Amino acid sequence: MKMENIFVEKFGGASVNSAEAVRNVFKILSMEQKKRVIVVSAMGKTTNKLEDIVNKWFNSNIFYDEQYENLIEYHNNIIENLFSTKEQEGTKAKISLLFQELKSKLIRLPRNDYNFIYDSIVSFGERISTTIVSDFLNANKLTNKLVYAIDLIKTDNNYRDANVDWANTQKAVEETIVPILEHYDTVITQGFIGGTKENLATTLGREGSDYSAAILAHCLRSNSMTIWKDVPGLLNADPKRVENTTKLVSIPFKEAIELSFYGASIIHPKTIKPLENLSIPLYIKSFVKPEDEGSVICANPELNPIVPNYIFKDNQLLLSISPKDFSFIDEKNSASIFEIFARNKVKVNLMQNSAISFSVSVDENRNILPQLLEDLQKDYKVRYNTNLQLITIRHYNQQAIDSVLQNREKIIEQKSRTTAQFLVNMQ
């Protein structure tokens, strides 16, 4: 078998959020026989609920029993509706062991490193979902091998936003997946998860399952990568926010990188580059209508069609920073401020500076904010506003701007030739 005859497909949380959804995954995979690696996210809103458990433990030293029991019940209900009474016993036993491991691990972990605790616990969502999906496919004669992503995607110890060790990942993928595909058509693994050299779980950033699939596609030099979504393809806006959205038929790699950089939720920011480097096309297709064409991100030179693209980032925090010694925002102060952001793992979404003040928009995270403010306030005066929204419009025109702003007060406005950004109060 040649490595280039492998396909990588990713199924997100919405595509496996119920027994019916998992059956639909089986239906999609049964449409075509080929060598493939399937990357699966946590089911439904499991990641959010595991975050709640982590936050309650970290902030209050209280184990969130209600949320924990709800998660067990949710996954058991899916199992009961997927399998016969006899078949479900084995899968339930595996899931029970994973939940027991989750709880015992959390209460043993020292409460001094939020990011480490987060990765250790939240990664269980994908481990649980892939166990259920793999067992169901095997029970329905779609034989597959389940592989733990911690053994495939090797990373550093930068918890919650781990950096990939590409050389060791390439080696692990070639030594693990390629031999399996000599005997199986399908390998299933988790999205979002990596592993350190000490075999500790890391995560690749929120919504990192797309990136996981891209890493594997790159290492396997796959024919293509497909993301299965609940939309007909890549749209120019979230249909929940903008009426009369347009499907983008084809998107150049560089345009997709720009969209993901500004926060387009359908693509993880790091996903595109590993694919672009080897010209691996990325298809975005609907799991509701899998036979439809969808969208493709590829080496085409221009966006088709060229229309405004709208990106909304809620729950933004505006920080206004000025030196206590009344010095200018010069290169030295800028470097100091960005070093503090980097140390606290805070990504800047928008920035604007004057001679004596530096303003940035960042995602609001109440677990990280106290330490960030403490670090900044050693040398700087800091003011901040909460409950803001950042609106980005690629390929903007005045009509596009007017349609989303609707006379809302602009706190910060920035425009380049192709991109307009507005920081406004949440509606």
Side-chain angles (χ1 to χ4, degrees):
M1 181 194 68
K2 296 181 180 179
M3 286 180 65
E4 62 264 23
N5 293 327
I6 299 172
F7 298 79
V8 175
E9 303 180 50
K10 179 254 177 177
F11 290 87
S15 65
V16 290
N17 65 0
S18 66
E20 182 182 0
V22 175
R23 287 193 188 91
N24 190 53
V25 170
F26 169 70
K27 176 183 173 183
I28 291 170
L29 296 178
S30 300
M31 290 169 59
E32 189 176 359
Q33 184 177 3
K34 53 189 176 185
K35 299 288 183 181
R36 46 160 65 107
V37 176
I38 306 301
V39 177
V40 181
S41 299
M43 292 177 158
K45 300 298 183 182
T46 296
T47 299
N48 292 341
K49 293 178 180 179
L50 288 172
E51 284 180 346
D52 291 342
I53 291 172
V54 168
N55 291 342
K56 196 155 191 173
W57 177 255
F58 184 79
N59 294 319
S60 307
N61 197 23
I62 296 172
F63 187 78
Y64 199 167
D65 285 295
E66 183 181 358
Q67 192 78 288
Y68 175 76
E69 295 297 334
N70 286 342
L71 277 173
I72 294 175
E73 182 180 4
Y74 168 69
H75 287 91
N76 279 340
N77 283 340
I78 290 176
I79 293 169
E80 289 166 5
N81 285 297
L82 272 178
F83 298 91
S84 68
T85 303
K86 184 177 181 180
E87 288 174 333
Q88 67 186 242
E89 292 176 2
T91 304
K92 274 190 172 182
K94 294 176 188 177
I95 299 308
S96 177
L97 286 174
L98 285 171
F99 273 108
Q100 289 173 37
E101 182 185 347
L102 183 161
K103 184 173 184 177
S104 63
K105 178 174 284 189
L106 180 61
I107 44 189
R108 289 199 318 267
L109 290 172
R111 290 172 44 249
N112 59 359
D113 187 338
Y114 176 79
N115 295 323
F116 175 69
I117 295 173
Y118 180 99
D119 282 7
S120 300
I121 301 305
V122 173
S123 54
F124 274 88
E126 278 72 15
R127 292 178 64 186
I128 293 165
S129 68
T130 50
T131 299
I132 295 171
V133 171
S134 175
D135 279 6
F136 178 72
L137 296 181
N138 277 324
N140 285 273
K141 313 306 180 189
L142 203 163
T143 55
N144 67 87
K145 183 73 171 177
L146 177 60
V147 180
Y148 190 13
I150 202 172
D151 298 321
L152 297 174
I153 298 177
K154 311 310 292 184
T155 75
D156 63 9
N157 298 71
N158 189 41
Y159 298 104
R160 285 187 67 229
D161 192 17
N163 299 297
V164 176
D165 179 341
W166 283 95
N168 282 322
T169 297
Q170 182 73 52
K171 183 172 183 286
V173 169
E174 289 179 2
E175 292 179 351
T176 305
I177 290 183
V178 174
I180 291 173
L181 286 175
E182 295 285 357
H183 304 285
Y184 293 83
D185 281 349
T186 304
V187 170
I188 293 180
T189 192
Q190 301 83 22
F192 187 46
I193 302 173
T196 68
K197 62 184 179 182
E198 299 87 8
N199 276 339
L200 297 172
T202 58
T203 62
L204 305 176
R206 199 69 160 85
E207 308 297 336
S209 293
D210 292 354
Y211 186 34
S212 299
I215 293 165
L216 297 176
H218 178 96
C219 291
L220 292 165
R221 297 182 179 272
S222 68
N223 283 33
S224 67
M225 172 179 153
T226 301
I227 298 175
W228 294 95
K229 303 285 290 186
D230 56 355
V231 290
L234 185 58
L235 305 178
N236 71 323
D238 183 345
K240 297 174 184 175
R241 299 182 186 262
V242 175
E243 294 181 358
N244 303 318
T245 55
T246 301
K247 187 182 83 170
L248 306 175
V249 177
S250 66
I251 308 96
F253 283 120
K254 285 182 171 54
E255 179 67 26
I257 290 170
E258 292 282 2
L259 290 171
S260 64
F261 172 80
Y262 287 114
S265 60
I266 200 166
I267 313 165
H268 187 271
K270 296 178 182 176
T271 299
I272 307 303
K273 194 60 181 169
L275 304 175
E276 182 191 21
N277 288 353
L278 296 177
S279 293
I280 298 170
L282 168 57
Y283 294 93
I284 298 156
K285 302 189 68 174
S286 167
F287 61 73
V288 180
K289 296 183 177 180
E291 66 282 354
D292 287 359
E293 186 176 348
S295 303
V296 61
I297 298 171
C298 57
N300 286 0
E302 289 189 354
L303 182 68
N304 177 28
I306 299 176
V307 293
N309 284 262
Y310 305 86
I311 302 162
F312 301 85
K313 289 182 77 72
D314 294 339
N315 301 315
Q316 292 297 289
L317 179 75
L318 175 63
L319 294 169
S320 297
I321 305 162
S322 56
K324 287 182 177 179
D325 61 4
F326 302 103
S327 61
F328 293 123
I329 296 292
D330 55 13
E331 291 80 1
K332 182 180 178 181
N333 276 318
S334 295
S336 172
I337 292 167
F338 274 103
E339 191 278 327
I340 293 170
F341 286 144
R343 191 191 323 145
N344 286 277
K345 296 183 173 64
V346 174
K347 179 182 178 293
V348 173
N349 298 320
L350 178 73
M351 58 184 172
Q352 191 172 84
N353 68 283
S354 65
I356 58 173
S357 179
F358 184 63
S359 297
V360 296
S361 172
V362 301
D363 296 340
E364 186 175 346
N365 185 325
R366 295 190 179 278
N367 293 304
I368 294 173
L369 180 59
Q371 185 62 55
L372 175 66
L373 292 176
E374 181 181 332
D375 290 350
L376 286 169
Q377 287 168 344
K378 290 174 183 176
D379 296 306
Y380 302 96
K381 291 184 290 186
V382 182
R383 294 177 297 133
Y384 64 89
N385 302 76
T386 60
N387 202 34
L388 303 177
Q389 181 185 63
L390 179 61
I391 302 172
T392 302
I393 309 174
R394 288 276 294 168
H395 308 290
Y396 66 91
N397 53 43
Q398 193 58 48
Q399 182 181 356
I401 292 172
D402 293 342
S403 69
V404 293
L405 288 184
Q406 299 175 345
N407 297 318
R408 294 165 71 183
E409 179 187 0
K410 294 174 283 189
I411 299 170
I412 293 181
E413 173 181 351
Q414 283 189 358
K415 291 181 183 177
S416 67
R417 293 179 181 177
T418 57
T419 305
Q421 292 188 284
F422 307 94
L423 192 65
V424 298
N425 288 308
M426 291 274 288
Q427 285 185 321

